[in-house]
Every structure is written in structure tokens, then in C-alpha cells.
Amino acid sequence: MKNVMKFSIEVGKSHPLGAVPDKDGVNFSLFSRNATGVELLLFNEHDSPEPLRIITLDPKINKKIFFWHVYVRGLKPGMHYAYRVHGPTDIHEGHRFNPKKVLLDPYAVGNTNNLWDRGAACGDGDNLATSMRSVIIDISDYDWEGDVPINRPLSESVIAEIHVKGFTKSPTSGVKHPGTFSGIIEKIPYLKELGVTGVELLPVMQFDEKAITGIGDDNQPLRNYWGYSTISFFAPQPSYCISPEDGQHITEFRDMVKAFHKAGIGVILDVVFNHTDEGNHQGPTINFKGIDNSIYYHLVENDKQYYMDYSGCGNTVNCNIPIVNKFIVDCLEFWVKEMHVDGFRFDEGSILTRGEDGAPMKYPPVIWNIELSETLADTKVIAEAWDAGGLYQIGYFPGYRWAEWNGKYRDTMRRFVRGDPGLLASVASSIAGSADIYQSSGHLPVNSINFITCHDGFTLNDLVSYNEKHNSANGEGNRDGINENLSWNCGVEGNTDDPAIEALRIRQIKNFATMLFISQGVPMFVIGDEVRRTQQGNNNGYCQDNEAISWFDWHLAEKNKELFRFFSKMIAFRKRHPIIHRSRFFTGAPNERGMKDIDWHGLSLYQPDMNDLNGRALAFTLGSEEDDGDLHVMINMYWEPLVFEIPPVAGLSWYRWVDTSLPYMQDVAEVGSETVINDFNYCVNDRSIVILKSSK
């Protein structure tokens, strides 16, 4: 038991919200417009069965407008706390106050869930014995060693999407603390060697990984693995920490960020403000539902016991009501100021554009407050510009500096590489930064986050190995997950020992990677694609917390080191050539050698037939204004070799840097070992891509 000092209770301040310690005690502040009473519960330990002290807040003294506050002199960091909130219980008017429920502080920066029983948080009964508790943490006590967010321009970024637990949880990882923030630190050298400039971490804000999402085909319970149902937005996930019961959440997360920054790698968080883990009217009461349900959520107008579900997850956060708007911006600014993160990707970001009536707004306050926040001015903001309610805002998501996951790029590239005809105009536009989507609205190539795969769907290996999804392990009769994956199995469904098919699959993976890394915009891929990580054809692994489907198998890093080299060399090639990561759209302007910034070709020079309904071949030349040389790219997605004409370069020669049809060590040249091309034509093998570079 901790050595507890005597407490004295004082009025406290309404701001800042949360539990904020100073040298003499702790100030608590909680917002609730409709509450009639608030009790603060103090616990000596994270698993104390009863509170050490219950402090009843007097609305005449401890309430300012709608902020309930108290200062506890003598209280120290490391103690645990929670709330009980009293108020009306008319569910048809949206009020779900229940003082029997023990509630987390929405502004808590750390929580423990050792006692947590989700079932006990549902219904009307008291859940004190099985509740989560918040931890009082002094966030000022940390040595950053001069660390600051990296603020690398998006145009220079290469992003890898990573699941913190899955990256190191497998016994093959060999780390000391698998599945944790600490564990991922040990694997940073791998990411640095690969060459990524940023990691986009699947949700690290606290979620309930104990929540059972269903029963698998093996009759075992399935869990929330991805984490897209947030419980506490300021608090790192306890299970990703080594010592959450000691309040080390903040320190362990900061250690990871600092280590990433020392390696020159930025940290982007995948954040979920569109809904919470409290779910629908049958879900648990954890925080918002019991603090002021009618404020925080979109409710059905004619019967407010029910929730509007634009998220597809049971409830929808009312993002543009002022106090919720403040909460979201406060949260983002906290992760930047106090945790030094470099950016955010907003899951189902279109929900942030919906007003109080649920309709999309022209100028949604929360979007513009994020856009214009000085604290977030250099922070990357990336939207998944759609939601489950039918909004699809690719190309017209509100705000100017918001980048978007470009789903149209993904679909175009998947179809083209598998061999679909008639896509040349769409492919050209995608390679050139999707000007058809972004340019007319004043946006730039960096507004497009280009990707072929993400956590949701097939891995890159499975994209070339399966025609159909194989989700039976999810326990839903293979009905979950999208049906059309725009994939091609190269002739056999799933694993095969056929060397010809295996060679074709590897070449197709190289083709996808090459298209991704030579396109204008910002490339993103799922970690594991570079070593053929497979989910065995499962395209919806949200509930698969296991080695068979979701965890990174580190044996693959050695088994498929040839493919790792290809990815690493292609990333390095992209970094060396600013002409394939421009910050502005092409204009057709020539360089001093007469080369336009871009020229399109077919098999013959300057004769692209973008309207060819059978077209599967495209070429283009990029004229460089730098000393890094011009580039000429030839793409053949036909099933037979094709001969392409090569443009002349006065006083220079073309050298082959990339040919995806060639074997290991020849597919991407080492610097200084490029092959000179002494011809005006080049035979590009079937289903392959060739990149030439001009030089003396």
C-alpha cells in the first residue's frame, strides 16, 4: 500500500480538464452540462476493491457553468481515480446518468483495466468491483533530450502502416517485451534499413482488447485486435505498456517516439474520433455515456434512447458540437505537444464533417479548428475521406492541407497490374498525382496518400495469391469483408509450390511496389508487404489476434530478403529523385535539355493512346531540373513481351536502373553498376516495368 498523505479538499479550477498534478496536490475538472451531482473516487491501488476516499462535489461550490472541479491537496501522482455522475435517467430524451456506474475521466492520460468486466458495465447494476480506473500521472516529468517532432514535408515521406502489437508479438520477433511500445523500439533498425520516413500506427489510444467480437470457426472467442473502438483518447493502450499499473503509459510511449525520431522516422497515429467503444443502446457505460450522453453522441431524433450510426460501429460522436470540438482539438494538441507525434490519420474522417443534424457541413468547425491550430500547423493530417453513412469525399474533403487516403488510386492500380484493359488514362492520372481529383480545387499532389494495401483488406502477397476472400476464421460464414478485392491469384488459389507461379507473384509484387514508389503523391504500404506477409486470404483481420493470420512472422525477413532488398532500393531510388516526389503538378515545361517535366508515350514515342480499350502498355519520360538525371519508365501489363521506343537524350546515355522481370541483384541496380542501353528500343518482358535514367 502506498504511503498516503492526509488530503485536504479545496474548490479547485474549471480548467484545464482532467487530473492535473502540481507540487502540492491535484486539480480535477470534468465537463457535464446535464449532471446534477458528481462524486470523485480515489483508489490507493489500481486493483483496490473499494475507494480510499469518496469526494462529493458541491454544485454550489465545485461547479462553474458546466465544469465540475475540485483540488485535492496532498494527493500525489500514482494514485488512481474514477467518477460517479448523477443526473436524469430519461433515456428517451438521451439521458443515461447512473451513479452506480464507475466512469473513466475522458481526459485521463493513463488507465488500468486489470479488473475490467465489460458485461458488468452494461445494464443498470453497480460495477465498482470490475471497473477500470484512471491514473494520476505527472506528464511534466520526462527528459526528451531535445527531441521535437520531425516535421518532414509530406512530399518527402514514405509511410509504413504498422500494428504495434502485431509487429513484435510473434515469438519469432526475439524482442524482450513482445507486443509493446518497448518491443517496437528493438525493431526500428529494420524500418530504418527499409528506408521508411514515417510509421502510421494503428490505434494506440486505449481500446478494449478483451471485448469479444464473435466466435471463430474453432469455437474460440474473437477479440478486438485492430483497436478501432476507442475508450480513452488521451491514454495509451495499457496492454502495449510493460507497467501500466505503475502509471508508466506516458513514459513508455514517449520512449518509443524518441527512439523513432533518433532514427529519423516520424510517428503518425491512426485516430478514431467518429465513434467510441460504448456502442449502441445495449453497449457498456464507460465514460461519455454516463457523463453526458446527449451531448457527446448523435441520437435518433424521435427516440433518443437510440444512436445514429454513421460509423457502422453502433454510435457516432457529435464532433461539431462546441465541447466535443474542443475535446478533439485538445486531444490532438496533447499528442503533439506532450507526446511529440508527427501526424494523424482520421478513421472515417468524413464523420468529422457532419453537423449536429448529421448532414455534411460546408465549413465544419472541428475540421477548420484542426487546420488552423498553431500547435498543429506542422502536423500531418490525413483523412479517410468517407464513412459508413454514405459520405465519400475523395477530392473535396474540407480544408486545404488535409491529405486523403486515395481509394481511387488503389482501385486503379490493382486493376491495371492484374491486367485489366482500358485504364491507361486513369493510370496516367494516378501516376501524375491524381490531378483530375485534386488540382481543380487548389490542392496538390501531396494531398493524395497513394496506397495499394492497408490494414483493411488483402496484404500485397494475398492480392497476388487469392481471387476470393477466405474469412471463415472470423466466424461469420465468410460474409464479412468486401467481396471484390480487384485481385488475381496468378493461376492458383492460395499457397503453391509451382515455381512459375511463385515467380510471377513475386514479379507482380515488384510491379505494385514500383508503381507505388514512382507515383506523384505520398506512398503508403502495410509493413510486411516487403517480405510477403500473408493473412491466408483473410481480408478482414480485425478480430484475429494470433500468429496464424495477423502477427508479423520474422522468419519472412530472411526467407524473402530478396524482396526486402527490392523495396529498400526502390524507396532509396525515390528519395534520390525529386522528380518522382514533386510538391506541384506537372506543367509540361521543358528543362535545359529540352525534356518536358513529363511526356507520355505508348510503344511509340509521343503516341500514347489513352483511349485504347485494350491498352495495357504505357511509358513516360520525366525531365529533371536537378543533376539527378531524367527518367524514362516503360510499363507492360500485357502477358507477352512488348518493344518500346526510347527517346534520345543529347550528349547522354540511358542506363537501366530497374527491370522487375530480372532476378535478384539485377532487378534494381546498385549505384555505379547500372547497365547502359545502346539501342533506340527496349523489349519489356511480360507483366513488368523498366526504369531508365539518363547520365553521361
Side-chain angles (χ1 to χ4, degrees), residues 281-319:
H281 61 288
Q282 296 176 318
T285 298
I286 299 172
N287 41 29
F288 302 107
K289 190 179 283 188
I291 291 170
D292 216 335
N293 182 69
S294 66
I295 298 295
Y296 286 98
Y297 296 114
H298 284 281
L299 305 177
V300 175
E301 185 60 35
N302 59 358
D303 190 351
K304 293 182 179 180
Q305 71 170 310
Y306 301 114
Y307 296 81
M308 297 299 295
D309 188 11
Y310 302 118
S311 67
C313 298
N315 64 43
T316 307
V317 175
N318 197 357
C319 299

Side-chain angles (χ1 to χ4, degrees), residues 49-186:
E50 297 289 337
L52 174 73
R53 180 82 177 267
I54 299 175
I55 301 171
T56 301
L57 276 61
D58 185 340
K60 296 179 181 179
I61 300 173
N62 302 106
K63 181 183 177 186
K64 183 177 181 180
I65 312 177
F66 304 122
F67 296 90
W68 298 76
H69 49 83
V70 66
Y71 182 83
V72 183
R73 188 171 295 277
L75 192 60
K76 299 294 184 183
M79 294 287 287
H80 299 256
Y81 72 102
Y83 289 101
R84 293 187 189 270
V85 180
H86 301 252
T89 57
D90 186 349
I91 61 173
H92 300 288
E93 290 299 318
H95 299 308
R96 293 182 174 271
F97 293 98
N98 181 355
K100 293 181 181 178
K101 296 302 181 188
V102 177
L103 309 174
L104 291 177
D105 178 2
Y107 277 76
V109 296
N111 300 300
T112 56
N113 59 358
N114 306 63
L115 302 175
W116 173 240
D117 183 326
R118 190 177 184 87
C122 301
D124 297 326
D126 194 298
N127 72 322
L128 172 63
T130 57
S131 63
M132 286 183 278
R133 287 88 189 270
S134 299
V135 189
I136 300 169
I137 300 174
D138 181 2
I139 63 174
S140 67
D141 185 18
Y142 185 77
D143 182 7
W144 276 108
E145 301 179 71
D147 179 81
V148 293
I150 292 177
N151 296 332
R152 178 181 288 105
L154 267 173
S155 63
E156 300 175 9
S157 297
V158 177
I159 300 170
E161 192 187 43
I162 297 179
H163 189 287
V164 169
K165 180 178 183 178
F167 193 44
T168 65
K169 187 61 177 178
S170 168
T172 63
S173 72
V175 303
K176 184 177 180 181
H177 298 288
T180 65
F181 298 127
S182 175
I184 208 171
I185 292 173
E186 295 187 50

Side-chain angles (χ1 to χ4, degrees), residues 144-348:
W144 276 108
E145 301 179 71
D147 179 81
V148 293
I150 292 177
N151 296 332
R152 178 181 288 105
L154 267 173
S155 63
E156 300 175 9
S157 297
V158 177
I159 300 170
E161 192 187 43
I162 297 179
H163 189 287
V164 169
K165 180 178 183 178
F167 193 44
T168 65
K169 187 61 177 178
S170 168
T172 63
S173 72
V175 303
K176 184 177 180 181
H177 298 288
T180 65
F181 298 127
S182 175
I184 208 171
I185 292 173
E186 295 187 50
K187 293 300 183 180
I188 289 177
Y190 174 89
L191 298 169
K192 188 172 183 179
E193 182 182 359
L194 182 57
V196 299
T197 68
V199 291
E200 185 171 300
L201 303 180
L202 268 67
V204 299
M205 296 175 181
Q206 185 182 355
F207 61 92
D208 184 9
E209 66 179 2
K210 298 180 180 179
I212 297 176
T213 63
I215 303 297
D217 60 349
D218 58 358
N219 291 319
Q220 296 300 309
L222 301 170
R223 307 285 183 180
N224 177 8
Y225 172 67
W226 283 350
Y228 286 93
S229 282
T230 311
I231 284 175
S232 194
F233 291 82
F234 287 75
Q237 171 66 1
S239 67
Y240 295 171
C241 302
I242 301 170
S243 304
E245 65 279 359
D246 296 328
Q248 295 301 305
H249 308 65
I250 301 296
T251 295
E252 293 184 33
F253 183 87
R254 285 168 162 172
D255 287 346
M256 179 192 68
V257 172
K258 187 165 62 174
F260 269 122
H261 286 176
K262 285 181 178 179
I265 299 173
V267 178
I268 300 169
L269 302 187
D270 199 336
V271 294
V272 188
F273 290 106
N274 60 80
H275 73 283
T276 78
D277 194 41
E278 293 186 301
N280 63 18
H281 61 288
Q282 296 176 318
T285 298
I286 299 172
N287 41 29
F288 302 107
K289 190 179 283 188
I291 291 170
D292 216 335
N293 182 69
S294 66
I295 298 295
Y296 286 98
Y297 296 114
H298 284 281
L299 305 177
V300 175
E301 185 60 35
N302 59 358
D303 190 351
K304 293 182 179 180
Q305 71 170 310
Y306 301 114
Y307 296 81
M308 297 299 295
D309 188 11
Y310 302 118
S311 67
C313 298
N315 64 43
T316 307
V317 175
N318 197 357
C319 299
N320 282 299
I321 200 166
I323 194 64
V324 184
N325 181 342
K326 170 183 167 55
F327 174 83
I328 293 172
V329 175
D330 283 351
C331 180
L332 297 173
E333 291 183 346
F334 165 81
W335 286 95
V336 171
K337 287 191 298 185
E338 304 296 346
M339 310 294 261
H340 289 199
V341 304
D342 302 270
F344 304 96
R345 177 265 185 187
F346 294 78
D347 180 66
E348 290 195 68

